Amino acid sequence: MAAQFILAVLAAVFLLAALWRFSREGFKLGPASRTWFLVALIFGAVSAWLWWSGVRPALQ
């Protein structure tokens, strides 16, 4: 499986974890939820960069 697919899925998983933690903290942005959001942002940015850079996997 290509890296951009894996990173996109991981970004979604980390975003869901951030939203779950954010709701558990009473919808206040605490250190834990901020960290999850940051990790999701990093994974999403790298995945988007791989998509836009033209690196395309050979889907067979």
Side-chain angles (χ1 to χ4, degrees), residues 14-51:
F14 286 125
L15 182 61
L16 289 174
L19 292 172
W20 177 71
R21 186 66 186 188
F22 183 64
S23 69
R24 286 194 64 211
E25 292 175 342
F27 297 100
K28 295 179 183 173
L29 195 60
S33 57
R34 193 172 338 148
T35 303
W36 286 114
F37 278 123
L38 180 62
V39 171
L41 178 70
I42 291 169
F43 275 81
V46 172
S47 176
W49 176 74
L50 286 173
W51 278 100

